[in-house]
Amino acid sequence: MRFERREHTPVALVIATPLIAVAAALAIAGILIAIAGAPVFEAYWNILKGAYGSRLSATETLTRATPLILTGLAAAVAFRARLWNIGGEGQLYLGAITVAWASSHFIGTWPSALQIPALLIMGAVAGMILLLVPLWLRLRFSVDEVVTTLLLNFVAVLFVSMLIDTVLKDPTAFGWPQSQSVADAAMLPKLLARSRLNLGLVIAVVLALVLAFVQSRTVFGIQSRAAGLNPQGAVFAGVPLGRTLVVVACLSGGLAGLAGAVEVMGVKGYVTTDLSPGYGYSGIVVAMLANLNPLGVVVAGLFTATMFVGADGMSRAMGIPSYIADVIVALSLLTMLIAVFFTQYRIRR
């Protein structure tokens, strides 16, 4: 018995792959739920009810999905070009603190129509800069960007912690370590009254549509894919590899920085060291669940947010630890990787 690479992957198999992977992950997680002594189907029903059973829970799920979609897009864009950006968390925090600093010190008096776009761009540029440094080290000295982007996460978070404890500390926070708040004019409009759901979700979905078009219908999209599939072959075919990777890094880092900006301007209003519960790392899982497809990232982001929000409701209703959400998402990633392998290879006896 051996594995043989497929010459052509059926479209039906590509569509069915994520569905099969998620179903397998839920089945395996169901065994753990049953071992905990809870009814499996009732547990999954409580997850759905916890995520979408009320107006509040549904809007919270969509709000949680917004940064997951943006960081998922950041990882998907980079990974497709074989630029291993593991630094989404640090880029998110740097984008967030840049927004808080700019709004509280420089452009807080601008009208919303000018201040909001300016702050979103500044947050994205901050994320870009943090990723361009590891890319330069890779292109100039062949330094592995997996290590540098991962380690820069800790540098960025500690840098943000220093700022909110010193020069950007909010004097009205009664000693609590948080940054100065962004101006009221900088807050993103709400999509629904009396909820935290904001314009960031629309921005994330629109960017996913734009990236899907760019990757499938433009020269740059083909060049970035070629750079990921075979860098040496891409160079031989005339693809400017260095320039392509720089553009990819700007897109990837910018999307992660934008996630931080949206989280501050749409939800929190200020920066703390617990601003992100790991959105940058979860974005990698979202990208892999989507098989690096921008439109799939939207669906994968919603699925991941559903698990995280719904598991809290299930935990309160049934007493099952909410960590089952992490188990389900991790199992989904593993089963997805296995499923993707079988879309590329078949078993021959």
Side-chain angles (χ1 to χ4, degrees), residues 114-127:
L114 295 177
Q115 188 172 176
I116 289 176
L119 290 176
L120 291 176
I121 292 171
M122 289 180 185
V125 170

Side-chain angles (χ1 to χ4, degrees), residues 125-204:
V125 170
M128 292 180 192
I129 293 172
L130 193 61
L131 183 54
L132 285 173
V133 173
L135 178 62
W136 177 76
L137 291 174
R138 168 183 162 174
L139 296 177
R140 183 68 178 83
F141 301 106
S142 300
V143 178
D144 187 358
E145 73 273 17
V146 173
V147 176
T148 51
T149 54
L150 178 62
L151 294 180
L152 276 175
N153 285 332
F154 304 100
V155 174
V157 173
L158 289 172
F159 176 68
V160 169
S161 178
M162 179 197 72
L163 290 179
I164 63 179
D165 270 326
T166 54
V167 294
L168 290 183
K169 187 173 183 178
D170 187 354
T172 65
F174 301 102
W176 185 259
Q178 71 180 48
S179 74
Q180 297 172 7
S181 300
V182 299
D184 291 339
M187 296 300 290
L188 294 175
K190 302 298 182 187
L191 296 182
L192 287 175
R194 296 179 291 107
S195 75
R196 301 201 302 171
L197 185 61
N198 58 78
L199 189 64
L201 178 64
V202 177
I203 294 173

Side-chain angles (χ1 to χ4, degrees), residues 176-268:
W176 185 259
Q178 71 180 48
S179 74
Q180 297 172 7
S181 300
V182 299
D184 291 339
M187 296 300 290
L188 294 175
K190 302 298 182 187
L191 296 182
L192 287 175
R194 296 179 291 107
S195 75
R196 301 201 302 171
L197 185 61
N198 58 78
L199 189 64
L201 178 64
V202 177
I203 294 173
V205 174
V206 169
L207 287 175
L209 293 171
V210 171
L211 284 175
F213 174 81
V214 168
Q215 289 189 349
S216 62
R217 302 293 182 182
T218 66
V219 174
F220 167 74
I222 297 173
Q223 289 176 340
S224 63
R225 185 177 181 183
L229 291 174
N230 191 329
Q232 292 78 17
V235 172
F236 183 78
V239 174
L241 188 61
R243 188 171 65 191
T244 300
L245 290 178
V246 167
V247 176
V248 168
C250 288
L251 286 174
S252 180
L255 287 164
L258 185 63
V262 166
E263 193 68 7
V264 172
M265 298 166 62
V267 180
K268 294 285 189 179

Side-chain angles (χ1 to χ4, degrees), residues 263-299:
E263 193 68 7
V264 172
M265 298 166 62
V267 180
K268 294 285 189 179
Y270 52 84
V271 180
T272 60
T273 52
D274 60 351
L275 173 72
S276 166
Y279 289 134
Y281 302 110
S282 298
I284 297 173
V285 178
V286 169
M288 297 305 296
L289 282 176
N291 200 16
L292 308 184
N293 185 298
L295 299 181
V297 165
V298 177
V299 179

